[in-house]
Amino acid sequence: MLPAHCSRRCGPLMAELRDALDTCAERQRQLERSLRVSRRLLRAWEPAETPAPEPTPGPKTNEEVLPPACTPCPQDLKELELLTQALEKAVQVRRGISKTGDKASSLKSGSIATHATTASAPPRASERKPPRGIGQTTTPASRLPKPRLLSAGDQTCIRRRPHTAKPGQSLRDQPVAPSAAPQAPEAFRLKEKGTLLQLPMAFRKAASQNSRLWAQLSSTQTSDSVDATVFSKTQFLQKMQMTSGWPSSGLSAAEVEAEVGCLQKASSLLRLRMREELTTDPTDWMQEYRCLLTLEGLQAMVGQCLHRLQELQAVVEQPLKPWPEGRLPRASLPCGGRADPIWGPQLLLYSSTEELQTLAALRLRVGMLDQQIHLEKVLMAELLPLVSTREPLGPPRLALFRAVHSLLCEGGHHFLTILRDEPDD
Amino acid sequence: MGRGRRRLRVDPADAAGALPEAIAALSRTLPAGPSPETFRRAKFDRPEAASALWQLLFRVLSQLLADSASATPTPEAQAGWVKSVLLSQGYPRRGLAQLAEDGSQGSRELLLALAWLLAQEPLLERLLAQTRIRLGDEMPVCEIHSYTRGCHSDRSLGHLSVAETELLRDPEGGRQLLRRLESENARLEAALAWRCRELVFWQWMDTVLDVCPPETSQPTALPRRRKGRAGELELVARELQALQEELRAAVEARRAAWEARVGSREPEWNAAQRAAQEAVGRELAALRQAWERGGGRAQPHGPHRLMAPGFRLSATPGGPALMGPWVQDFGLSPQKQVDGTGQSAGSQLPRVQSRPWLCVPCLSQGWQEGWC
């Protein structure tokens, strides 16, 4: 489409287009990956997702890291809950007994009566339970061939509910056998038992340490030592500047680029504002006056921006230091200031799925628009110089205009038709 | 050896070992940080320290600028890229530009370059923030949030995120995540340790500068600037000039109309006029802030953790942001999407597409001239 002599411009253009395609493909892959992960979490959790290591060494050595879980069945969980309630009551009873001396009548049902003996002999029970609790952790490791899910019946929960170990063990024999079979009828489902999950201790510790360290790092302290450090850094930079063989004035290429970006942003903001003022009809004299003042103010600001731009142009034309060759990377320091705040993850509450959908849709749209705008700018920078030269008009030139117009102004979707209008004479 | 003629300042901290500790902390914070011994050798411009420092600078700069195109394997290409980036960022010393790119020399200059980067901005914090492990969700996944409510040990968060649930489902993945968390914690601790000790490092860098031979001020041939660099500048200039023209025309017309309408000045008008002037002045100042402050775009899109409401077991004092008003600001129609600076991404595209016509008057003139 473009004439042959423009082909040497195509190199950087093609590179940009390829970059854009790669970015989109990468983003698509990321989205697909997170969808896969989420869907997998919502399905029944397969017990054999990871290749099974040897039963004893693996899970055992990582006991404190992530103890192997077991698949509870609903029956298990019900019984565990009942037992928990009973034993908690028993603890209360024991406290009541030790305080008042007589309060043993609050036990509920027959199934709990079997534990009444343990309730009435609390010290023995309490010192009996923990060893069994600890012993409990090794048994699943040796019994279950594959790593399981963390759930209520597991070690970390055993810490919270120390007395569930004993009954759990006897019941665990049953689930092991059927779940060793490929089809586990009692596979874990997030929907039903998600609220029973608990994160492993090691992870929780690491995560809380992580947020604590980040908070420390992000806090800005002012003290004498900090001031002395800042002072010595400034001195170092000044000394660097003085010992260099180049004149110290002048902006770096990155700074020029950043300022040009700022001025470009200024240009679009000013234009938007001008449009707003020009399109609203003033209803009274005061509004009319304000509109006039605003337009005059905008005019002054545009003048200042142009002045600054001319200064930058002078810097670019006469570089006092070697200007770097090649394309600069896209990212650079933000205009107006160098120090970025360290952004910690901010909590963002949502209240409905519609909000989430809107969020996702808008984010995609913004990403797409950003990409389009960037490509448009690149195209403009590459193609506009081609059409700006004062060459004589002719069919090849018109073809060039048509091509450039289509690419830049119509996004490549439409082509103009050029008609030659012969006068009738 | 590279010791200068004048007597170097005796640095007692050096003897005390505070300096090696500081450098070691710095090294642990950096990705691929070299040993304190490498730093010491670099002070005396030893060649064996050069390649480690080239690689370090390459890693740091390519991460900072997020430039995936710079994943070039050869050391020469890496060295060339590092030089180019440092120069473009305004590195003040000529010695860098004169370094050979085979990666075999220049360790002292590279050490100075690293210190220069460190001195100018919170480099370490930026590097760490870029690779920060995100435990929360940014993708909307409300079912998992609702199924795991009440589970989180951290009382201010009400439910698990996908990453946390995933680590429960897949212990091996969980172990890997834990290892990554632990290594990030180690780097964070090193960064905090560095902060306490860095003064001694800067005092030492002073001595490094003293050891350098003075730079000669002979003129070097400056490479020609790329035409493309000026392209963006010219585009912006033309835009602004076109804008200026439009504004001039509009202002002239309105000023004339206004002057014609308001014949005599009444006293109460003046007060009202002054008030209007002040109000307009404030609005325009706010507008200027919007582009000068810069980076406004980044704010709503910073890292965040999505959370379903009603599941938090305790209120946090700072309070999380509510998505509702934020989404409303975006507007349900993407065309009205507004970020903090008042710039509309949706409406920018059609405007950008109409730009070429503004910038190339000869184009429209060309149409008019037709075939000749």
Side-chain angles (χ1 to χ4, degrees):
Chain A
M1 183 163 65
L2 293 172
H5 72 273
C6 307
S7 58
R8 71 178 141 79
R9 292 210 168 267
C10 284
L13 210 54
M14 294 308 292
E16 285 279 352
L17 290 171
R18 260 198 300 272
D19 271 348
L21 284 172
D22 286 341
T23 320
C24 288
E26 177 59 33
R27 187 152 182 183
Q28 189 178 3
R29 273 196 297 270
Q30 281 175 0
L31 285 173
E32 282 170 0
R33 199 162 41 223
S34 20
L35 271 178
R36 253 203 322 271
V37 167
S38 302
R39 283 203 185 113
R40 199 169 50 191
L41 284 175
L42 290 170
R43 285 199 305 258
W45 290 12
E46 302 290 329
E49 287 287 343
T50 57
E54 278 309 300
T56 30
K60 235 187 193 149
T61 52
N62 289 318
E63 206 69 273
E64 55 286 351
V65 175
L66 272 178
C70 48
T71 39
C73 60
Q75 200 185 357
D76 273 3
L77 291 168
K78 243 191 223 131
E79 299 211 15
L80 288 177
E81 286 198 17
L82 276 174
L83 283 159
T84 315
Q85 286 169 16
L87 290 162
E88 277 169 0
K89 259 211 158 25
V91 169
Q92 284 175 17
V93 166
R94 171 191 123 189
R95 285 207 190 107
I97 287 172
S98 60
K99 273 186 196 165
T100 64
D102 189 12
K103 229 189 173 188
S105 56
S106 48
L107 301 173
K108 272 199 302 196
S109 61
S111 63
I112 298 170
T114 56
H115 299 282
T117 49
T118 58
S120 56
R124 197 167 59 87
S126 61
E127 75 193 19
R128 192 157 49 95
K129 295 295 183 243
R132 303 210 59 168
I134 291 169
Q136 178 58 37
T137 61
T138 56
T139 334
S142 49
R143 251 188 230 206
L144 301 177
K146 295 155 193 172
R148 298 302 178 112
L149 310 159
L150 185 65
S151 71
D154 205 36
Q155 183 205 3
T156 52
C157 292
I158 287 171
R159 218 179 337 92
R160 275 209 317 200
R161 303 170 178 178
H163 306 286
T164 58
K166 178 184 162 237
Q169 187 183 13
S170 56
L171 292 166
R172 211 156 269 147
D173 296 329
Q174 284 160 5
V176 169
S179 52
Q183 258 71 33
E186 310 292 350
F188 184 82
R189 277 192 179 276
L190 198 65
K191 186 169 183 176
E192 295 146 19
K193 299 161 197 166
T195 52
L196 300 169
L197 291 176
Q198 199 181 16
L199 291 170
M201 183 51 151
F203 178 80
R204 286 191 286 174
K205 267 188 174 134
S208 72
Q209 195 184 18
N210 189 268
S211 38
R212 191 176 43 83
L213 287 169
W214 272 110
Q216 266 184 289
L217 201 64
S218 315
S219 69
T220 49
Q221 317 129 341
T222 49
S223 67
D224 288 339
S225 64
V226 168
D227 291 338
T229 309
V230 166
F231 179 68
S232 49
K233 278 200 262 196
T234 325
Q235 267 209 318
F236 172 74
L237 285 175
Q238 281 172 356
K239 204 165 168 181
M240 282 271 275
Q241 194 69 64
M242 281 183 340
T243 60
S244 82
W246 286 331
S248 63
S249 63
L251 297 170
S252 68
E255 283 169 325
V256 168
E257 197 157 320
E259 274 216 55
V260 170
C262 271
L263 288 172
Q264 217 249 290
K265 197 169 177 183
S267 164
S268 27
L269 287 176
L270 289 167
R271 178 172 282 277
L272 264 179
R273 192 57 202 275
M274 177 187 78
R275 280 237 184 92
E276 272 176 38
E277 293 296 326
L278 291 178
T279 48
T280 53
D281 291 322
T283 52
D284 63 12
W285 289 10
M286 187 47 60
Q287 273 195 10
E288 197 180 318
Y289 186 60
R290 278 182 74 145
C291 176
L292 174 63
L293 286 178
T294 310
L295 288 173
E296 285 180 337
L298 292 175
Q299 194 184 14
M301 283 160 103
V302 169
Q304 288 161 7
C305 290
L306 268 173
H307 179 74
R308 181 66 188 145
L309 207 61
Q310 278 156 12
E311 288 177 345
L312 290 175
Q313 234 158 0
V315 170
V316 169
E317 308 257 317
Q318 297 291 336
L320 300 170
K321 307 172 194 171
W323 218 247
E325 295 290 316
R327 253 176 356 129
L328 282 188
R330 236 161 83 177
S332 55
L333 304 168
C335 65
R338 285 179 165 249
D340 268 325
I342 300 173
W343 286 102
Q346 194 193 20
L347 282 184
L348 199 59
L349 283 189
Y350 63 88
S351 54
S352 69
T353 46
E354 286 77 26
E355 270 183 359
L356 289 181
Q357 280 173 343
T358 316
L359 171 67
L362 287 175
R363 277 172 112 178
L364 276 176
R365 179 124 176 91
V366 171
M368 251 174 47
L369 287 172
D370 269 341
Q371 187 72 268
Q372 273 183 288
I373 290 172
H374 172 73
L375 283 177
E376 188 81 21
K377 286 185 185 162
V378 166
L379 276 175
M380 275 200 281
E382 295 289 336
L383 295 179
L384 281 179
L386 289 179
V387 298
S388 316
T389 58
R390 289 229 148 256
E391 283 173 23
L393 283 176
R397 198 136 173 82
L398 283 175
L400 177 64
F401 279 2
R402 183 168 169 260
V404 170
H405 171 93
S406 162
L407 270 179
L408 290 180
C409 305
E410 306 286 347
H413 293 303
H414 303 290
F415 281 87
L416 291 181
T417 313
I418 305 174
L419 293 177
R420 182 171 177 165
D421 197 5
E422 295 282 3
D424 285 338
D425 50 15
Chain B
M1 293 281 272
R3 286 191 178 261
R5 279 182 310 226
R6 76 188 154 89
R7 177 147 171 69
L8 292 172
R9 236 184 2 258
V10 174
D11 198 348
D14 220 317
L19 179 66
E21 270 181 34
I23 295 182
L26 173 65
S27 204
R28 282 201 305 274
T29 316
L30 290 168
S35 65
E37 185 56 27
T38 311
F39 281 78
R40 198 191 67 83
R41 291 197 181 128
K43 174 175 176 176
F44 304 110
D45 207 15
R46 304 295 285 266
E48 57 264 26
S51 92
L53 285 173
W54 278 117
Q55 281 177 29
L56 172 66
L57 280 172
F58 180 73
R59 269 256 343 224
V60 164
L61 289 173
S62 56
Q63 191 195 319
L64 264 187
L65 300 174
D67 196 354
S68 58
S70 64
T72 44
T74 68
E76 290 82 13
Q78 284 183 5
W81 186 84
V82 165
K83 273 168 69 172
S84 161
V85 170
L86 283 172
L87 283 176
S88 77
Q89 297 289 331
Y91 185 71
R93 285 174 58 89
R94 183 196 297 267
L96 180 76
Q98 292 167 339
L99 283 180
E101 288 178 15
D102 58 1
S104 65
Q105 45 158 290
S107 53
R108 182 161 56 209
E109 195 66 41
L110 295 175
L111 173 63
L112 289 171
L114 177 67
W116 180 78
L117 286 171
L118 275 172
Q120 292 200 304
E121 56 163 337
L123 179 74
L124 301 176
E125 286 85 346
R126 261 181 59 168
L127 289 173
L128 286 167
Q130 276 179 341
T131 54
R132 181 171 185 168
I133 296 176
R134 312 262 177 91
L135 292 173
D137 283 325
E138 295 189 1
M139 280 288 294
V141 273
C142 60
E143 295 108 8
I144 293 178
H145 294 177
S146 65
Y147 294 162
T148 58
R149 59 185 175 279
C151 291
H152 213 289
S153 51
D154 181 349
R155 285 316 186 195
S156 63
L157 308 167
H159 54 75
L160 301 180
S161 69
V162 169
E164 289 158 344
T165 319
E166 176 69 8
L167 86 87
L168 289 171
R169 186 196 66 82
D170 174 21
E172 180 54 42
R175 279 190 280 275
Q176 277 177 17
L177 181 60
L178 184 66
R179 274 196 290 272
R180 282 172 54 210
L181 253 184
E182 283 169 350
S183 81
E184 181 171 294
N185 289 351
R187 280 181 77 188
L188 288 168
E189 280 169 352
L192 289 166
W194 158 254
R195 251 197 207 168
C196 299
R197 297 178 170 80
E198 61 175 303
L199 181 59
V200 87
F201 175 80
W202 295 113
Q203 290 166 345
W204 180 68
M205 284 310 300
D206 226 17
T207 69
V208 174
L209 266 178
D210 290 339
V211 161
C212 281
E215 293 208 310
T216 55
S217 50
Q218 77 224 27
T220 49
L222 300 179
R224 236 165 33 89
R225 69 171 167 82
R226 263 185 90 241
K227 284 277 165 62
R229 182 83 46 233
E232 177 76 23
L233 229 157
E234 275 166 22
L235 278 175
V236 177
R238 284 189 193 157
E239 262 189 47
L240 284 171
Q241 278 159 359
L243 189 56
Q244 201 179 39
E245 260 312 299
E246 282 186 52
L247 276 170
R248 199 190 49 78
V251 162
E252 262 182 37
R254 293 202 180 205
R255 177 52 80 173
W258 175 258
E259 295 291 334
R261 200 185 306 232
V262 180
S264 62
R265 299 279 173 98
E266 290 132 30
E268 60 261 24
W269 252 127
N270 284 345
Q273 277 184 326
R274 263 200 305 278
Q277 280 164 6
E278 280 167 18
V280 167
R282 276 196 299 271
E283 281 174 21
L284 291 179
L287 185 62
R288 178 187 286 278
Q289 277 291 315
W291 75 75
E292 278 186 353
R293 200 183 41 219
R297 214 76 208 293
Q299 279 172 352
H301 297 278
H304 53 267
R305 182 176 176 138
L306 285 174
M307 232 175 61
F311 302 143
R312 279 162 56 232
L313 304 178
S314 71
T316 49
L322 283 174
M323 190 187 292
W326 186 41
V327 171
Q328 267 169 21
D329 273 349
F330 271 167
L332 291 175
S333 118
Q335 289 301 321
K336 285 174 56 184
Q337 183 173 354
V338 173
D339 62 13
T341 64
Q343 186 175 4
S344 164
S347 70
Q348 200 185 16
L349 188 59
R351 189 194 58 75
V352 165
Q353 282 182 332
S354 71
R355 244 169 122 201
W357 293 114
L358 290 171
C359 303
V360 190
C362 70
L363 210 85
S364 48
Q365 193 186 3
W367 292 123
Q368 287 162 14
E369 281 170 9
W371 309 60
C372 289

